[in-house]
mmCIF file of all heavy atoms in Angstrom:
data_model
loop_
_atom_site.group_PDB
_atom_site.id
_atom_site.type_symbol
_atom_site.label_atom_id
_atom_site.label_comp_id
_atom_site.label_asym_id
_atom_site.label_seq_id
_atom_site.Cartn_x
_atom_site.Cartn_y
_atom_site.Cartn_z
ATOM 1 N N ALA A 888 -78.319 53.282 -16.833
ATOM 2 C CA ALA A 888 -77.660 52.762 -18.047
ATOM 3 C C ALA A 888 -76.523 51.803 -17.658
ATOM 4 O O ALA A 888 -76.288 50.786 -18.324
ATOM 5 C CB ALA A 888 -77.155 53.909 -18.913
ATOM 6 N N LYS A 889 -75.877 52.141 -16.605
ATOM 7 C CA LYS A 889 -74.724 51.294 -16.175
ATOM 8 C C LYS A 889 -75.161 49.867 -15.817
ATOM 9 O O LYS A 889 -74.388 48.935 -15.944
ATOM 10 C CB LYS A 889 -74.030 51.968 -14.972
ATOM 11 C CG LYS A 889 -72.622 51.346 -14.718
ATOM 12 C CD LYS A 889 -71.777 52.274 -13.858
ATOM 13 C CE LYS A 889 -70.495 51.563 -13.388
ATOM 14 N NZ LYS A 889 -69.622 51.074 -14.446
ATOM 15 N N GLU A 890 -76.423 49.731 -15.447
ATOM 16 C CA GLU A 890 -76.965 48.373 -15.118
ATOM 17 C C GLU A 890 -76.910 47.448 -16.304
ATOM 18 O O GLU A 890 -76.987 46.243 -16.177
ATOM 19 C CB GLU A 890 -78.365 48.472 -14.547
ATOM 20 C CG GLU A 890 -78.450 49.069 -13.161
ATOM 21 C CD GLU A 890 -79.882 49.268 -12.686
ATOM 22 O OE1 GLU A 890 -80.820 48.667 -13.280
ATOM 23 O OE2 GLU A 890 -80.039 49.990 -11.680
ATOM 24 N N LEU A 891 -76.804 48.039 -17.508
ATOM 25 C CA LEU A 891 -76.731 47.161 -18.727
ATOM 26 C C LEU A 891 -75.463 46.381 -18.766
ATOM 27 O O LEU A 891 -75.342 45.384 -19.584
ATOM 28 C CB LEU A 891 -76.881 48.009 -19.980
ATOM 29 C CG LEU A 891 -78.210 48.746 -20.211
ATOM 30 C CD1 LEU A 891 -78.250 49.330 -21.616
ATOM 31 C CD2 LEU A 891 -79.419 47.877 -19.976
ATOM 32 N N GLU A 892 -74.522 46.702 -17.924
ATOM 33 C CA GLU A 892 -73.264 45.906 -17.872
ATOM 34 C C GLU A 892 -73.561 44.450 -17.585
ATOM 35 O O GLU A 892 -72.854 43.526 -18.087
ATOM 36 C CB GLU A 892 -72.334 46.475 -16.800
ATOM 37 C CG GLU A 892 -71.548 47.674 -17.258
ATOM 38 C CD GLU A 892 -70.661 48.268 -16.182
ATOM 39 O OE1 GLU A 892 -70.817 47.939 -15.031
ATOM 40 O OE2 GLU A 892 -69.785 49.060 -16.561
ATOM 41 N N LYS A 893 -74.613 44.236 -16.817
ATOM 42 C CA LYS A 893 -75.044 42.862 -16.473
ATOM 43 C C LYS A 893 -75.333 42.065 -17.769
ATOM 44 O O LYS A 893 -75.208 40.797 -17.705
ATOM 45 C CB LYS A 893 -76.321 42.869 -15.628
ATOM 46 C CG LYS A 893 -76.045 43.133 -14.153
ATOM 47 C CD LYS A 893 -77.284 43.002 -13.288
ATOM 48 C CE LYS A 893 -78.108 44.283 -13.473
ATOM 49 N NZ LYS A 893 -79.187 44.494 -12.566
ATOM 50 N N LEU A 894 -75.711 42.720 -18.782
ATOM 51 C CA LEU A 894 -76.054 42.011 -20.025
ATOM 52 C C LEU A 894 -74.869 41.933 -21.000
ATOM 53 O O LEU A 894 -74.975 41.464 -22.129
ATOM 54 C CB LEU A 894 -77.190 42.693 -20.748
ATOM 55 C CG LEU A 894 -78.565 42.683 -20.020
ATOM 56 C CD1 LEU A 894 -79.542 43.621 -20.712
ATOM 57 C CD2 LEU A 894 -79.107 41.283 -19.889
ATOM 58 N N GLY A 895 -73.715 42.470 -20.570
ATOM 59 C CA GLY A 895 -72.542 42.399 -21.411
ATOM 60 C C GLY A 895 -72.317 43.695 -22.237
ATOM 61 O O GLY A 895 -71.514 43.720 -23.143
ATOM 62 N N VAL A 896 -73.099 44.769 -21.902
ATOM 63 C CA VAL A 896 -72.869 46.016 -22.593
ATOM 64 C C VAL A 896 -71.752 46.732 -21.859
ATOM 65 O O VAL A 896 -71.703 46.782 -20.633
ATOM 66 C CB VAL A 896 -74.158 46.886 -22.502
ATOM 67 C CG1 VAL A 896 -73.974 48.229 -23.236
ATOM 68 C CG2 VAL A 896 -75.286 46.148 -23.148
ATOM 69 N N GLU A 897 -70.818 47.300 -22.670
ATOM 70 C CA GLU A 897 -69.736 48.041 -22.103
ATOM 71 C C GLU A 897 -70.214 49.491 -21.833
ATOM 72 O O GLU A 897 -70.769 50.095 -22.780
ATOM 73 C CB GLU A 897 -68.580 48.092 -23.127
ATOM 74 C CG GLU A 897 -67.224 47.823 -22.587
ATOM 75 C CD GLU A 897 -66.226 47.834 -23.721
ATOM 76 O OE1 GLU A 897 -66.108 46.795 -24.450
ATOM 77 O OE2 GLU A 897 -65.605 48.915 -23.955
ATOM 78 N N ILE A 898 -69.961 50.065 -20.658
ATOM 79 C CA ILE A 898 -70.492 51.378 -20.360
ATOM 80 C C ILE A 898 -69.333 52.329 -20.010
ATOM 81 O O ILE A 898 -68.460 51.964 -19.218
ATOM 82 C CB ILE A 898 -71.459 51.333 -19.173
ATOM 83 C CG1 ILE A 898 -72.603 50.326 -19.376
ATOM 84 C CG2 ILE A 898 -71.973 52.719 -18.843
ATOM 85 C CD1 ILE A 898 -73.615 50.777 -20.334
ATOM 86 N N GLU A 899 -69.344 53.508 -20.620
ATOM 87 C CA GLU A 899 -68.412 54.554 -20.221
ATOM 88 C C GLU A 899 -69.234 55.769 -19.893
ATOM 89 O O GLU A 899 -70.215 56.080 -20.584
ATOM 90 C CB GLU A 899 -67.587 54.934 -21.477
ATOM 91 C CG GLU A 899 -66.199 54.400 -21.584
ATOM 92 C CD GLU A 899 -65.582 54.853 -22.867
ATOM 93 O OE1 GLU A 899 -65.187 56.015 -23.008
ATOM 94 O OE2 GLU A 899 -65.607 54.024 -23.829
ATOM 95 N N ILE A 900 -68.861 56.447 -18.826
ATOM 96 C CA ILE A 900 -69.654 57.621 -18.484
ATOM 97 C C ILE A 900 -68.679 58.840 -18.467
ATOM 98 O O ILE A 900 -67.723 58.878 -17.650
ATOM 99 C CB ILE A 900 -70.335 57.451 -17.107
ATOM 100 C CG1 ILE A 900 -71.270 56.239 -17.145
ATOM 101 C CG2 ILE A 900 -71.098 58.691 -16.685
ATOM 102 C CD1 ILE A 900 -71.975 55.869 -15.897
ATOM 103 N N LEU A 901 -68.959 59.822 -19.261
ATOM 104 C CA LEU A 901 -68.167 61.001 -19.286
ATOM 105 C C LEU A 901 -68.733 62.040 -18.347
ATOM 106 O O LEU A 901 -69.958 62.289 -18.330
ATOM 107 C CB LEU A 901 -68.079 61.647 -20.669
ATOM 108 C CG LEU A 901 -67.590 60.748 -21.843
ATOM 109 C CD1 LEU A 901 -67.323 61.613 -23.081
ATOM 110 C CD2 LEU A 901 -66.328 60.004 -21.471
ATOM 111 N N THR A 902 -67.863 62.648 -17.522
ATOM 112 C CA THR A 902 -68.273 63.680 -16.559
ATOM 113 C C THR A 902 -68.153 65.053 -17.200
ATOM 114 O O THR A 902 -67.652 65.174 -18.312
ATOM 115 C CB THR A 902 -67.429 63.647 -15.309
ATOM 116 O OG1 THR A 902 -66.076 63.987 -15.706
ATOM 117 C CG2 THR A 902 -67.462 62.294 -14.688
ATOM 118 N N GLU A 903 -68.527 66.046 -16.462
ATOM 119 C CA GLU A 903 -68.421 67.418 -16.890
ATOM 120 C C GLU A 903 -67.000 67.750 -17.315
ATOM 121 O O GLU A 903 -66.731 68.386 -18.331
ATOM 122 C CB GLU A 903 -68.849 68.332 -15.729
ATOM 123 C CG GLU A 903 -69.534 69.576 -16.122
ATOM 124 C CD GLU A 903 -70.093 70.258 -14.860
ATOM 125 O OE1 GLU A 903 -70.023 69.671 -13.742
ATOM 126 O OE2 GLU A 903 -70.558 71.386 -14.988
ATOM 127 N N LYS A 904 -66.059 67.291 -16.458
ATOM 128 C CA LYS A 904 -64.641 67.545 -16.720
ATOM 129 C C LYS A 904 -64.189 66.942 -18.045
ATOM 130 O O LYS A 904 -63.522 67.581 -18.866
ATOM 131 C CB LYS A 904 -63.838 66.946 -15.545
ATOM 132 C CG LYS A 904 -62.624 67.753 -15.133
ATOM 133 C CD LYS A 904 -62.042 67.175 -13.834
ATOM 134 C CE LYS A 904 -60.576 66.841 -14.126
ATOM 135 N NZ LYS A 904 -60.056 65.885 -13.086
ATOM 136 N N ASP A 905 -64.604 65.693 -18.276
ATOM 137 C CA ASP A 905 -64.263 65.018 -19.507
ATOM 138 C C ASP A 905 -64.783 65.793 -20.695
ATOM 139 O O ASP A 905 -64.133 65.938 -21.705
ATOM 140 C CB ASP A 905 -64.868 63.591 -19.558
ATOM 141 C CG ASP A 905 -64.410 62.709 -18.452
ATOM 142 O OD1 ASP A 905 -63.212 62.873 -18.002
ATOM 143 O OD2 ASP A 905 -65.178 61.901 -17.941
ATOM 144 N N MET A 906 -66.022 66.263 -20.555
ATOM 145 C CA MET A 906 -66.690 66.970 -21.683
ATOM 146 C C MET A 906 -66.094 68.290 -21.910
ATOM 147 O O MET A 906 -65.987 68.748 -23.083
ATOM 148 C CB MET A 906 -68.216 67.037 -21.432
ATOM 149 C CG MET A 906 -68.884 65.712 -21.513
ATOM 150 S SD MET A 906 -70.679 65.825 -21.415
ATOM 151 C CE MET A 906 -70.932 65.546 -19.730
ATOM 152 N N LYS A 907 -65.619 68.954 -20.845
ATOM 153 C CA LYS A 907 -64.899 70.238 -20.988
ATOM 154 C C LYS A 907 -63.602 70.016 -21.800
ATOM 155 O O LYS A 907 -63.307 70.785 -22.742
ATOM 156 C CB LYS A 907 -64.527 70.792 -19.625
ATOM 157 C CG LYS A 907 -65.488 71.914 -19.195
ATOM 158 C CD LYS A 907 -65.052 72.613 -17.978
ATOM 159 C CE LYS A 907 -66.265 73.356 -17.328
ATOM 160 N NZ LYS A 907 -66.308 73.233 -15.893
ATOM 161 N N LYS A 908 -62.929 68.920 -21.482
ATOM 162 C CA LYS A 908 -61.713 68.643 -22.204
ATOM 163 C C LYS A 908 -61.932 68.371 -23.695
ATOM 164 O O LYS A 908 -61.160 68.786 -24.507
ATOM 165 C CB LYS A 908 -61.091 67.368 -21.549
ATOM 166 C CG LYS A 908 -59.632 67.607 -21.044
ATOM 167 C CD LYS A 908 -59.027 66.268 -20.657
ATOM 168 C CE LYS A 908 -58.749 66.253 -19.120
ATOM 169 N NZ LYS A 908 -58.518 64.920 -18.585
ATOM 170 N N LEU A 909 -63.074 67.783 -23.977
ATOM 171 C CA LEU A 909 -63.416 67.501 -25.356
ATOM 172 C C LEU A 909 -63.943 68.724 -26.063
ATOM 173 O O LEU A 909 -64.175 68.684 -27.290
ATOM 174 C CB LEU A 909 -64.459 66.339 -25.420
ATOM 175 C CG LEU A 909 -63.930 64.970 -25.068
ATOM 176 C CD1 LEU A 909 -65.081 64.021 -24.703
ATOM 177 C CD2 LEU A 909 -63.142 64.385 -26.208
ATOM 178 N N GLY A 910 -64.275 69.746 -25.333
ATOM 179 C CA GLY A 910 -64.747 70.971 -25.942
ATOM 180 C C GLY A 910 -66.257 70.933 -26.291
ATOM 181 O O GLY A 910 -66.708 71.580 -27.252
ATOM 182 N N MET A 911 -67.025 70.233 -25.476
ATOM 183 C CA MET A 911 -68.465 70.129 -25.750
ATOM 184 C C MET A 911 -69.182 71.343 -25.191
ATOM 185 O O MET A 911 -70.078 71.219 -24.337
ATOM 186 C CB MET A 911 -69.006 68.825 -25.169
ATOM 187 C CG MET A 911 -68.471 67.588 -25.781
ATOM 188 S SD MET A 911 -69.343 66.116 -25.190
ATOM 189 C CE MET A 911 -68.692 64.852 -26.254
ATOM 190 N N GLY A 912 -68.858 72.500 -25.724
ATOM 191 C CA GLY A 912 -69.415 73.723 -25.228
ATOM 192 C C GLY A 912 -70.920 73.861 -25.410
ATOM 193 O O GLY A 912 -71.604 74.558 -24.601
ATOM 194 N N ALA A 913 -71.508 73.236 -26.382
ATOM 195 C CA ALA A 913 -72.956 73.360 -26.621
ATOM 196 C C ALA A 913 -73.729 72.591 -25.594
ATOM 197 O O ALA A 913 -74.660 73.151 -24.945
ATOM 198 C CB ALA A 913 -73.249 72.864 -28.060
ATOM 199 N N LEU A 914 -73.332 71.359 -25.338
ATOM 200 C CA LEU A 914 -73.979 70.537 -24.343
ATOM 201 C C LEU A 914 -73.802 71.168 -22.920
ATOM 202 O O LEU A 914 -74.789 71.310 -22.150
ATOM 203 C CB LEU A 914 -73.423 69.112 -24.364
ATOM 204 C CG LEU A 914 -74.091 68.059 -23.498
ATOM 205 C CD1 LEU A 914 -73.928 66.677 -24.055
ATOM 206 C CD2 LEU A 914 -73.539 68.074 -22.012
ATOM 207 N N LEU A 915 -72.602 71.582 -22.653
ATOM 208 C CA LEU A 915 -72.327 72.117 -21.336
ATOM 209 C C LEU A 915 -73.049 73.429 -21.055
ATOM 210 O O LEU A 915 -73.463 73.723 -19.917
ATOM 211 C CB LEU A 915 -70.803 72.283 -21.151
ATOM 212 C CG LEU A 915 -69.986 70.978 -21.075
ATOM 213 C CD1 LEU A 915 -68.489 71.233 -21.133
ATOM 214 C CD2 LEU A 915 -70.387 70.200 -19.741
ATOM 215 N N GLY A 916 -73.215 74.222 -22.106
ATOM 216 C CA GLY A 916 -73.990 75.440 -21.982
ATOM 217 C C GLY A 916 -75.418 75.183 -21.516
ATOM 218 O O GLY A 916 -75.917 75.911 -20.631
ATOM 219 N N VAL A 917 -76.057 74.116 -21.947
ATOM 220 C CA VAL A 917 -77.405 73.786 -21.497
ATOM 221 C C VAL A 917 -77.378 73.417 -20.041
ATOM 222 O O VAL A 917 -78.234 73.777 -19.273
ATOM 223 C CB VAL A 917 -77.967 72.651 -22.326
ATOM 224 C CG1 VAL A 917 -79.358 72.253 -21.833
ATOM 225 C CG2 VAL A 917 -78.009 72.990 -23.817
#
Side-chain angles (χ1 to χ4, degrees):
K889 195 161 169 58
E890 287 176 17
L891 298 189
E892 279 178 344
K893 278 185 282 193
L894 296 172
V896 179
E897 225 179 277
I898 305 286
E899 259 177 78
I900 301 176
L901 304 190
T902 63
E903 213 172 354
K904 217 172 121 198
D905 301 325
M906 289 188 266
K907 258 189 199 138
K908 236 188 247 163
L909 288 161
M911 295 186 170
L914 185 153
L915 290 170
V917 177

